[in-house]
Amino acid sequence: MSVLTAKTGQAIPETSLGRKLKDRTVLIAVYVAFALAVIPLVSVLYKVISEGVQVISADFLTRSMNGIGGRDAGGGVYHSIVGTLEQVALASAMSIPIAVLTAVYLVEYGQGKRLAKTISFFVDVMTGIPSIVAGLFVLAFWILVLGFEVSGFAGALALGVLMIPTVVRSAEEMLKLVPNELREASYALGVPRWRTVMKVVLPTAFTGIVTGIMLAVARVMGETAPLLLTIWVTKVINFNAFQGAQSSLPTYIWEQASDPNQVAVARAWGAALTLIFIIMVLNIGARLLARRTSIR
Amino acid sequence: MTSIDDVQTAAVGVSRRRRAISTGRRGDKIFRGAALGSGVFVLVIMGAIAAFLVWKAIPALQANQGSFLTDTEWRANSDPPRFGIAQLAFGTVMSAFLALLMATPVAIGIALFISFYAPRKLADGLGFIVDLLAAVPSIIYGLWGLHFLVMNSDGVVSFLNTYLGWIPLFAGENVGGQSLFIGSVVLAIMILPIISSISREVFLQVPTPHIEAAQALGATRWETIRLSVLPYGRSGVISAMMLGLGRALGETVAIALVLSTVAGINWHILEPGGNTFAANIVRTFGESGEIGRSALIASGLVLFVITMIVNMAARAIVSRRKEFTE
Amino acid sequence: MKNGIRLAAIGGALLTGALALSACGSDDNSGNGNGTAAAPEGNCVEATVNAAGSSAQKNAVDEWIKNYTANCAGAVLNYNPSGSGAGIEAFNGKQAAFAGSDSVMKPEEAEAAKTRCAGNPALHLPMVVGPVAIAYNLDGVEGLQLSPETLANIFANKIKKWNDPAIAADNPGVTLPDTNITTVHRADESGTTDNFTKYLAAVVPDIWTFETGKVWTAPGGQGGTKSDGVTTLVKQSKGSIGYVEMSYAENASLSTVKVKNGAGEYTELTADSASKVVAGAQVVGTGNDLALKIDFAAKTPGAYPIVLVTYEIACEKGLTGKEGEFVKSFLTYTASEAGQEALKGLGYAPLPPEIISKVRTSIDAISAA
């Protein structure tokens, strides 16, 4: 891109006025587009940060809502942070390997096969799954049919179902971008296919896959509806994701934001800021990691 | 893509002739099995969900006294239940389409700005911020929409109504408040970072020789973009748009918070009203009985079909473009 | 897959780091409480129990949990305010030990509840009176008075201006502005809509010809999602009027309408005036089941007519073990003097004595067997 900025306009002096004018117009349009987009985006961040900062304190981050009555101030989000981190970690641990392997199958093994087409089709269909439906499915299958109780793990199952299609889609796109020459070169050296995939294809696409995973993680971290059905609601800290009701940040925000109490609405903003902060930390972490390990 | 297979068959053929057992064969089998197994597992889950939805949707469809496709009212909990998806389908498609219309040019503008116009140092930071914004959960956009945008948008809305009121969409008497237009704006803001971060990735992959060739011909910056960047990136941008559209179609919480519900289909998008599949599901789920729930699941199925059509269209466009450019 | 392992390692490190950073997390909020928790009556049952249902009574339940656990530290009640329908579903699906509901169960739901309670009937126990406020936003007009007829005409979009003669007739001596009326209703299904439309249909059936129920069916107006959506809309748009639970109107400091009751008085909404109309309610449940039918046109003096009664739905028999004991013990507290008194500061009204005494008898009959 530096090539472009450095050379334009200098190399050929006889650029006509009309073309120059067009160039300027586009330049202005691009700047305007940028400004237009920045206003609402910054406004979102500003609102969350300015409202959230007023609430966030050491107490807010380290306390649960236990013993906070209808109109009481105080309380915190600790139980929800614990819940969200555990649920999302479990969901990721379950769905990412499956999703990435599926993408590998689709791109490396399944080309043109009917099974691959069917899988691809269903993955596409399921990207449009309304999140509450995933919750309903887990409720009906895991809790009602198999008879398990509500738990953080049940929520993680629902989130995992939501993550799979997004991760498969993005990983598939990224694997497709890996140039065939790389694979061919590897085969030519006598490297078996699976090692080619592990050592050449996946590392090449790694950055892109991580970006896709982060987007998926961020998306499920903000999911509310499926969790309400599967993890229940609780005000106390529960470290055990496999037993008993757990809280989570999005359900906490949803609940507090619709409370008539102004203190509760303030807590919702505080929790929103906490959630964004966690997502950002994960994102930055993933990005640094991707940058360090990417092959360029 | 056939070339890998060719190479592979060739390679396998060679190894078969030379050595009966290659060190990689076993690993290959296991790995292939794992990949295939995962694929099949995904298929099973997805199939199970689809089957579950159809199974759960049937009772409501049988009990429905109205026309599922053309009724505009949703009274699935009345006795007898009477509901139709017309209003939901209208609101969903309209808001997602408007959002895409608003977001795409701006998103491409941002992507171009970051990739080609902004100073290098600034560009990295900006790209990062846009990516982060793609990760902001939708419930936060919803809160912002309800508590900020709805309250501060009356000026813009009445401006559109006064000066562009001759366009039927912007007409109406009682404009303002929680309208389909505001819902679309929130959706547009949500999908903007998604479209622009993917478009940016695509633009960055434009081979430098393409760009240099255009410049060597004396093209201005815009002409370079138009001649070499946009054609190369077109399929990527289209798939980014489709991804955004998919998210807009399925968006739940943000739209449920921002839209107000008034019965019937209203083409005047500045007036309060509108409803979407996903918003309707979260709004009515809590107070639904057996049939109501089943009806909501049936509406979820329709949302599937719509998303599916959008995705298939996107795939078709992308693959056609590929054939064209390569 | 080295990268994958590294990713997992870093992810794990981030996670444990985040947890460790805040490992000092605590459930102890006693320093923050306002110390008004009165000691609950009855015994303490230490159990972890899930319940679900009406969001209209969420704050009441929160307050009760706080007071109950203040003297019974090992008890945890997780109340999921997912909505009455979802609450009944969760109760019937055995995920909830009891359900909170704004309306009486439908016959098929009651049938499922009977199965859930091992063949015993599930009881409707009235526990909270939730007054429905008619909140409005009109500059310079305090203490607006409306008769049911005018109210119905406004929400039916037949009266469109604030200076309409009908409104003026209800408010002698008040100068009303020439502003358009914007009505605000609930966009989602809710018990509040159900009770408000039932009130209108019962008192002024000639004017309110729309279907009653949890869905708003009258034309026009704006819809807000959940009570806070309605409150926000009323608060931000001049000339608007909407119906919302009293606690929301109070917290947003919205003006509320004095509604004309069956005795012909314009009554202000207070916890006491709302209790009064429930006193005239008729019990339609059989045995220990206390499903109520409210007489919205009751001629009780000083009664505010538009209220919503929310029930706890619990098994009379059939809940076993600690769970059953807890439900009985907790409901005993909520129906007690102290439990009902706790409602007053929260925008709810306590049940009148004639009803609450029946509730206590019914709770006594609950047995965990």
Side-chain angles (χ1 to χ4, degrees):
Chain A
M1 52 185 137
S2 54
V3 186
L4 198 62
T5 28
K7 288 185 184 166
T8 332
Q10 292 171 9
I12 312 292
E14 65 264 32
T15 310
S16 77
L17 187 69
R19 287 169 60 204
K20 254 186 191 162
L21 216 65
K22 223 179 208 172
D23 192 45
R24 284 280 129 175
T25 319
V26 173
L27 180 83
I28 293 167
V30 165
Y31 273 86
V32 167
F34 190 73
L36 256 181
V38 160
I39 297 165
L41 293 176
V42 165
S43 156
V44 171
L45 286 184
Y46 174 77
K47 179 89 178 159
V48 175
I49 293 171
S50 64
E51 299 266 352
V53 159
Q54 295 170 23
V55 187
I56 288 192
S57 64
D59 261 10
F60 184 73
L61 294 175
T62 57
R63 283 179 195 280
S64 70
M65 287 293 288
N66 191 26
I68 300 294
R71 276 186 185 176
D72 296 351
V77 288
Y78 184 74
H79 59 311
S80 306
I81 298 176
V82 169
T84 286
L85 289 179
E86 289 190 0
Q87 288 146 22
V88 172
L90 279 173
S92 308
M94 287 186 287
S95 62
I96 291 172
I98 293 174
V100 173
L101 277 172
T102 303
V104 167
Y105 174 75
L106 291 180
V107 176
E108 305 293 327
Y109 293 100
Q111 289 291 332
K113 288 190 183 146
R114 185 174 285 173
L115 178 65
K117 279 186 181 154
T118 320
I119 294 172
S120 201
F121 175 76
F122 268 87
V123 167
D124 268 4
V125 173
M126 290 301 156
T127 50
I129 192 170
S131 56
I132 196 165
V133 169
L136 273 173
F137 175 70
V138 171
L139 176 72
F141 178 70
W142 183 255
I143 297 173
L144 294 180
V145 175
L146 298 183
F148 290 95
E149 64 170 330
V150 290
S151 67
F153 181 71
L157 284 177
L159 296 184
V161 165
L162 288 171
M163 272 182 88
I164 287 176
T166 346
V167 177
V168 172
R169 275 305 295 272
S170 62
E172 191 189 351
E173 290 296 322
M174 293 305 155
L175 290 176
K176 274 186 188 161
L177 285 178
V178 175
N180 266 337
E181 289 84 351
L182 279 181
R183 296 186 180 91
E184 282 156 13
S186 174
Y187 295 145
L189 291 171
V191 179
R193 197 169 201 175
W194 71 282
R195 296 202 66 127
T196 306
V197 172
M198 295 293 265
K199 297 281 174 192
V200 178
V201 179
L202 280 178
T204 313
F206 188 66
T207 332
I209 295 177
V210 169
T211 309
I213 290 174
M214 284 324 299
L215 282 177
V217 166
R219 188 189 151 192
V220 299
M221 259 200 177
E223 280 300 348
T224 314
L227 294 180
L228 282 173
L229 300 175
T230 47
I231 65 170
W232 217 253
V233 164
T234 184
K235 298 173 148 220
V236 301
I237 300 166
N238 178 7
F239 281 106
N240 188 351
F242 295 92
Q243 202 191 10
Q246 247 191 348
S247 186
S248 77
L249 283 169
T251 54
Y252 181 91
I253 297 172
W254 177 251
E255 199 191 312
Q256 299 291 329
S258 54
D259 197 293
N261 194 339
Q262 280 309 309
V263 198
V265 177
R267 280 196 288 258
W269 286 112
L273 182 56
T274 313
L275 182 57
I276 290 192
F277 180 76
I278 293 176
I279 289 174
M280 297 223 164
V281 166
L282 284 177
N283 237 317
I284 293 169
R287 207 159 272 270
L288 290 177
L289 176 91
R291 188 174 289 176
R292 195 181 304 163
T293 47
S294 71
I295 298 169
R296 285 258 158 167
Chain B
M1 284 282 159
T2 46
S3 49
I4 332 169
D5 280 79
D6 294 346
V7 172
Q8 174 70 3
T9 6
V12 168
V14 167
S15 66
R16 204 171 271 159
R17 248 174 280 135
R18 284 201 190 143
R19 284 178 287 169
I21 300 161
S22 113
T23 43
R25 295 279 314 274
R26 195 136 167 230
D28 243 358
K29 244 185 196 159
I30 295 171
F31 189 72
R32 194 198 149 91
L36 181 66
S38 299
V40 171
F41 184 65
V42 169
L43 195 60
V44 168
I45 297 177
M46 299 311 176
I49 295 177
F52 161 78
L53 291 177
V54 173
W55 172 53
K56 287 277 181 182
I58 288 172
L61 294 178
Q62 282 173 341
N64 189 6
Q65 296 293 312
S67 157
F68 183 64
L69 292 178
T70 57
D71 258 30
T72 57
E73 279 177 315
W74 194 267
R75 281 184 218 167
N77 289 309
S78 308
D79 194 25
R82 219 170 53 245
F83 55 90
I85 55 161
Q87 190 203 7
L88 305 179
F90 171 78
T92 306
V93 173
M94 191 70 174
S95 61
F97 178 72
L98 283 174
L100 195 65
L101 211 64
M102 285 186 266
T104 308
V106 179
I108 294 175
I110 295 178
L112 288 176
F113 179 76
I114 294 175
S115 332
F116 300 109
Y117 288 90
R120 186 85 195 260
K121 264 187 193 159
L122 198 65
D124 277 358
L126 289 175
F128 180 61
I129 292 176
V130 169
D131 283 3
L132 282 188
L133 281 163
V136 172
S138 54
I139 188 171
I140 290 169
Y141 284 107
L143 280 180
W144 174 81
L146 178 66
H147 287 281
F148 182 81
L149 190 64
V150 172
M151 293 191 197
N152 296 303
S153 65
D154 280 356
V156 177
V157 167
S158 52
F159 174 84
L160 285 175
N161 183 240
T162 319
Y163 294 101
L164 296 173
W166 47 272
I167 303 171
L169 278 185
F170 293 138
E173 291 168 8
N174 195 7
V175 298
Q178 298 176 292
S179 58
L180 203 55
F181 174 74
I182 295 295
S184 313
V185 171
V186 171
L187 284 181
I189 294 169
M190 280 179 59
I191 63 176
L192 194 86
I194 298 176
I195 300 179
S196 76
S197 79
I198 298 175
S199 305
R200 192 173 57 94
E201 293 273 328
V202 173
F203 290 157
L204 286 178
Q205 280 166 11
V206 177
T208 325
H210 287 212
I211 295 171
E212 283 167 352
Q215 285 169 342
L217 290 172
T220 60
R221 186 148 45 170
W222 162 240
E223 283 161 349
T224 314
I225 290 170
R226 194 166 54 91
L227 293 172
S228 61
V229 176
L230 292 184
Y232 185 89
R234 191 170 291 156
S235 78
V237 171
I238 290 173
S239 72
M241 279 168 64
M242 291 301 158
L243 227 111
L245 185 60
R247 172 128 187 218
L249 285 170
E251 179 45 46
T252 314
V253 180
I255 212 83
L257 283 171
V258 172
L259 281 190
S260 123
T261 305
V262 178
I265 292 175
N266 188 354
W267 284 92
H268 299 160
I269 55 167
L270 297 178
E271 289 182 337
N275 206 350
T276 70
F277 286 111
N280 186 50
I281 292 177
V282 280
R283 277 177 178 166
T284 43
F285 183 79
E287 297 296 330
S288 288
E290 196 85 32
I291 292 294
R293 203 161 310 209
S294 164
L296 290 177
I297 289 175
S299 79
L301 265 177
V302 178
L303 178 58
F304 272 14
V305 174
I306 293 178
T307 330
M308 194 176 81
I309 292 169
V310 167
N311 274 320
M312 281 177 10
R315 290 218 155 187
I317 293 170
V318 171
S319 64
R320 247 188 53 204
R321 286 287 169 193
K322 258 194 189 138
E323 280 162 26
F324 184 68
T325 46
E326 271 172 21
Chain C
M1 258 303 72
K2 240 184 214 153
N3 291 328
I5 293 163
R6 237 149 101 194
L7 175 66
I10 294 194
L14 266 174
L15 194 72
T16 40
L19 282 177
L21 266 178
S22 43
C24 40
S26 141
D27 271 337
D28 180 21
N29 276 313
S30 52
N32 290 320
N34 47 17
T36 52
E41 285 174 28
N43 52 340
C44 160
V45 178
E46 293 189 3
T48 300
V49 170
N50 294 342
S54 158
S55 54
Q57 55 168 290
K58 171 183 173 279
N59 275 348
V61 176
D62 279 357
E63 192 72 11
W64 286 330
I65 297 170
K66 170 185 150 191
N67 294 348
Y68 186 87
T69 51
N71 285 34
C72 187
V76 175
L77 173 65
N78 301 314
Y79 184 76
N80 186 350
S82 51
S84 305
I88 291 170
E89 187 77 8
F91 173 71
N92 289 345
K94 296 196 177 182
Q95 296 123 48
F98 67 89
S101 177
D102 297 338
S103 44
V104 175
M105 286 188 283
K106 290 178 191 159
E108 62 270 20
E109 288 170 337
E111 209 42 53
K114 203 166 178 180
T115 318
R116 190 253 191 266
C117 298
N120 301 293
L123 304 179
H124 293 88
L125 303 165
M127 205 60 82
V128 183
V129 177
V132 179
I134 310 296
Y136 67 97
N137 178 350
L138 193 61
D139 282 342
V141 180
E142 289 296 317
L144 187 73
Q145 312 191 120
L146 292 176
S147 62
E149 293 78 17
T150 321
L151 197 58
N153 275 322
I154 290 175
F155 276 96
N157 255 13
K158 284 181 189 143
I159 295 180
K160 296 184 175 179
K161 289 270 184 191
W162 278 108
N163 59 0
D164 191 279
I167 303 179
D170 283 336
N171 296 278
V174 177
T175 3
L176 295 158
D178 177 28
T179 334
N180 285 330
I181 300 179
T182 310
T183 58
V184 182
H185 56 259
R186 285 283 287 267
D188 51 335
E189 298 199 5
S190 81
T192 316
T193 304
D194 192 26
N195 281 274
F196 181 57
T197 52
K198 275 191 181 131
Y199 160 76
L200 292 175
V203 181
V204 280
D206 308 340
I207 305 170
W208 198 257
T209 49
F210 310 102
E211 252 178 86
T212 63
K214 290 176 175 178
V215 194
W216 184 257
T217 52
Q222 296 215 29
T225 302
K226 295 201 174 187
S227 303
D228 64 317
V230 172
T231 316
T232 311
L233 277 178
V234 173
K235 186 137 199 178
Q236 77 194 30
S237 32
K238 296 263 176 276
S240 59
I241 182 166
Y243 59 93
V244 71
E245 291 96 317
M246 181 180 170
S247 49
Y248 287 85
E250 271 185 358
N251 278 296
S253 26
L254 292 169
S255 321
T256 56
V257 172
K258 291 179 183 168
V259 182
K260 194 178 187 179
N261 62 17
E265 313 159 321
Y266 292 100
T267 26
E268 197 175 339
L269 171 57
T270 61
D272 289 331
S273 64
S275 279
K276 282 184 186 148
V277 75
V278 184
Q282 178 197 348
V283 175
V284 291
T286 50
N288 284 316
D289 182 36
L290 296 177
L292 296 181
K293 189 176 188 321
I294 295 170
D295 179 12
F296 289 114
K299 296 206 161 55
T300 327
Y304 179 86
I306 319 171
V307 298
L308 160 150
V309 172
T310 72
Y311 302 96
E312 311 304 336
I313 295 173
C315 294
E316 183 167 14
K317 290 185 179 65
L319 263 189
T320 48
K322 280 261 174 190
E323 196 178 47
E325 284 175 44
F326 176 87
V327 170
K328 181 164 179 167
S329 157
F330 184 74
L331 294 181
T332 307
Y333 162 65
T334 62
S336 71
E337 202 76 42
Q340 289 291 307
E341 201 56 35
L343 294 174
K344 277 195 176 173
L346 297 167
Y348 299 105
L351 285 161
E354 41 280 65
I355 303 286
I356 198 71
S357 61
K358 287 181 190 156
V359 174
R360 287 178 194 144
T361 317
S362 292
I363 293 171
D364 282 341
I366 292 179
S367 66

